[in-house]
Amino acid sequence: MAKMSSDPLVIGRVVGDVVDHFSSTVKMSVTYNSNKHVYNGHELFPSTVTSKPRVEVHGGDMRSFFTLIMTDPDVPGPSDPYLREHLHWIVTDIPGTTDSSFGKEVVSYEMPRPNIGIHRFAFVLFKQKKRQLGCVRAPACRDGFNTRNFAQENELGLPVAAVYFNCQRETAARRR
């Protein structure tokens, strides 16, 4: 009998659809509008995620640097995600003792705009072997992005932290 996992990243299929299984070795917090914390599997409205969040790395040191990727593996819709993944944000060279605003934005933040169904938006953090200093190139297209391939091409290895939220199109009734 297979062992059931209680890991929310496995249950939410972020492990599997976006990344391979990994052990979290640093803590990362993601906060929108200074008060909306991202927790695995919780729902945020598109109207609360319009501007880039504050992403803090806890557990790094002065010599460590991190790369952050935000992606949507459910494009155009969760039942047929043939454009998987859609890239929303890449920040590299985030110093291990600060937040993403100190990193280098390689791909600018694009707000989530899910049209069909409930989408997962994953923040995946990788520890860099060294400072990238402009070595990471932005992908040609946001659609069809592959977090695993990107990590491999940039020698990032497995993630060190990840968190995701759910988001779906807001209707007038849901905004009340």
Side-chain angles (χ1 to χ4, degrees):
M1 193 162 121
K3 185 180 143 250
M4 289 301 292
S5 175
S6 61
D7 182 341
L9 294 169
V10 173
I11 295 166
R13 295 184 340 276
V14 170
V15 167
D17 289 351
V18 180
V19 295
D20 294 326
H21 207 279
F22 69 96
S23 295
S24 206
T25 54
V26 298
K27 284 207 168 302
M28 169 178 66
S29 64
V30 180
T31 313
Y32 280 97
N33 306 324
S34 74
N35 65 351
K36 290 276 187 214
H37 291 279
V38 173
Y39 296 106
N40 284 319
H42 287 224
E43 184 174 0
L44 293 175
F45 293 120
S47 58
T48 61
V49 295
T50 55
S51 53
K52 63 184 162 191
R54 179 178 173 93
V55 178
E56 294 177 273
V57 177
H58 311 278
D61 58 42
M62 298 297 278
R63 294 180 307 282
S64 52
F65 292 93
F66 296 88
T67 293
L68 175 76
I69 294 171
M70 178 187 176
T71 182
D72 174 359
D74 299 316
V75 176
S79 59
D80 184 20
Y82 64 88
L83 295 175
R84 173 178 297 165
E85 303 160 37
H86 183 82
L87 178 64
H88 281 268
W89 199 27
I90 296 180
V91 183
T92 64
D93 291 335
I94 301 167
T97 53
T98 60
D99 63 70
S100 56
S101 65
F102 290 91
K104 179 181 186 299
E105 200 172 56
V106 175
V107 175
S108 62
Y109 181 81
E110 180 183 276
M111 68 176 272
R113 281 190 213 84
N115 279 328
I116 310 160
I118 299 170
H119 289 237
R120 296 163 295 162
F121 291 88
F123 293 91
V124 183
L125 189 71
F126 295 91
K127 185 173 183 182
Q128 298 170 195
K129 286 185 170 67
K130 60 183 190 309
R131 201 159 184 183
Q132 301 284 9
L133 297 171
C135 298
V136 174
R137 281 193 287 290
C141 178
R142 288 182 188 255
D143 281 330
F145 181 77
N146 186 302
T147 299
R148 283 183 188 90
N149 291 350
F150 180 85
Q152 194 173 9
E153 289 161 12
N154 292 285
E155 299 177 18
L156 295 171
L158 287 171
V160 293
V163 67
Y164 80 100
F165 67 92
N166 292 323
C167 188
Q168 60 185 309
R169 192 169 166 185
E170 277 179 87
T171 61
R174 291 188 69 218
R175 276 192 211 111
R176 275 192 229 127

